[in-house]
């Protein structure tokens, strides 16, 4: 069986000023014990990327961005390219988050363009997929997840397991306090792994699949114990060291 290093990432969303972000990053850097098994990444808002990068310099905590645009540069007011994110010190870029799909018009096609550009810039995408409450109620979860994964990846074929991360985030569990049960999550993660095998071949065994949606220190241990749950993409709880650090610890 392939050993996958657990991966815990904090998505700060639209939170934290520069000063607050630096303090939070420092507290997490100092509190995340060396010798831990889990890889850790922080995704602050664009405005705090460079400052957080400075706080993380010399530590093994990675920097991540929350989104990007696919062009390298040009007249695209408001947009940030993968090359700019690399320059700011990013290692990972979240693409296709449900909040981007819901509020900013991201589609499987634009998510694919972003994913392609992120990989071309030498960064690693964290591809978010997940069904809404209505889709789950209509028994369409697996269908939606397949469409989003297939559409997001397109013809991309990462050749190493560490070149891609997938995050399963059921939309109904995000910020609601409603977590998928470990069994519900494992069922979908197992399905995602089988799709990755179908689309990408044996490299699927090494790709980390994170769970996201109301992850807390209380539910992290049982979620992370599932065979196909390789980490967590944490929103609200990543804004508080007293919640985020125990989640990192839960991953070993
Ligand atoms: P919450 O942990 O706040 O539910 O957010 C999850 C999420 O959307 C992470 O990307």
């Amino acid at each position: 069986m392939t050993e996958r290093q657990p991966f815990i990432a904090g998505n700060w969303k639209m939170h934290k000023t520069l000063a607050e972000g630096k303090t939070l990053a420092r507290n997490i850097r100092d509190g995340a014990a060396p010798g831990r098994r889990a890889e850790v990444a922080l995704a602050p808002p664009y405005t705090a990327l460079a400052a957080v990068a400075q706080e993380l310099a010399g530590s093994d905590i990675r920097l991540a961005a929350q989104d990007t645009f696919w062009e390298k540069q040009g007249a695209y007011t408001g947009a940030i390219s993968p090359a700019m994110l690399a320059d700011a010190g990013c290692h990972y870029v979240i693409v296709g988050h449900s909040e981007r799909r819901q509020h900013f018009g991201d589609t499987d096609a634009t998510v694919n363009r972003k994913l392609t550009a992120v990989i071309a810039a030498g960064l690693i995408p964290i591809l978010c997929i997940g069904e809404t409450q209505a889709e789950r109620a209509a028994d369409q979860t697996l269908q939606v997840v397949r469409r989003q994964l297939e559409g997001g990846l397109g013809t991309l074929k990462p050749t190493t397991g560490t070149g891609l991360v997938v995050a399963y985030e059921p939309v109904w569990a995000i910020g609601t306090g409603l977590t998928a049960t470990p069994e519900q999550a494992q069922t979908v993660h197992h399905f995602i792994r089988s799709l990755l095998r179908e689309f990408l071949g044996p490299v699927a065994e090494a790709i980390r699949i994170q769970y996201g949606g109301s992850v807390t220190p209380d539910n992290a241990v049982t979620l992370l114990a599932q065979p196909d749950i390789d980490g967590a993409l944490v929103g609200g709880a990543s804004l508080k060291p007293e919640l985020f650090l125990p989640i990192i610890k839960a991953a070993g």
Side-chain angles (χ1 to χ4, degrees), residues 93-224:
V93 184
I94 299 170
V95 291
H97 194 283
S98 62
E99 288 151 16
R100 299 297 315 178
R101 296 178 194 257
Q102 187 187 342
H103 302 296
F104 302 96
D106 282 23
T107 63
D108 291 334
T110 61
V111 168
N112 173 255
R113 295 187 76 171
K114 292 179 179 188
L115 202 79
T116 307
V118 166
I119 292 175
L123 299 172
I124 301 170
I126 300 175
L127 169 61
C128 299
I129 56 178
E131 82 288 0
T132 62
Q133 178 66 278
E135 288 162 343
R136 176 163 283 262
D139 218 7
Q140 291 171 348
T141 299
L142 302 187
Q143 204 179 313
V144 168
V145 161
R146 170 182 266 277
R147 193 198 69 225
Q148 292 179 337
L149 189 65
E150 195 166 24
L153 288 176
T155 55
L156 281 175
K157 295 243 179 274
T159 49
T160 67
T162 49
L164 171 71
V165 177
V166 176
Y168 170 58
E169 301 205 310
V171 178
W172 49 271
I174 296 177
T176 56
L178 296 172
T179 323
T181 64
E183 295 73 26
Q184 280 174 325
Q186 167 58 23
T187 300
V188 182
H189 280 236
H190 182 76
F191 177 67
I192 292 170
R193 182 133 6 244
S194 71
L195 291 175
L196 289 171
R197 219 173 274 134
E198 179 187 329
F199 301 150
L200 306 177
V203 76
E205 308 309 324
I207 293 175
R208 272 95 53 93
I209 308 174
Q210 297 176 312
Y211 169 80
S214 297
V215 174
T216 65
D218 290 337
N219 58 32
V221 174
T222 44
L223 283 164
L224 293 169

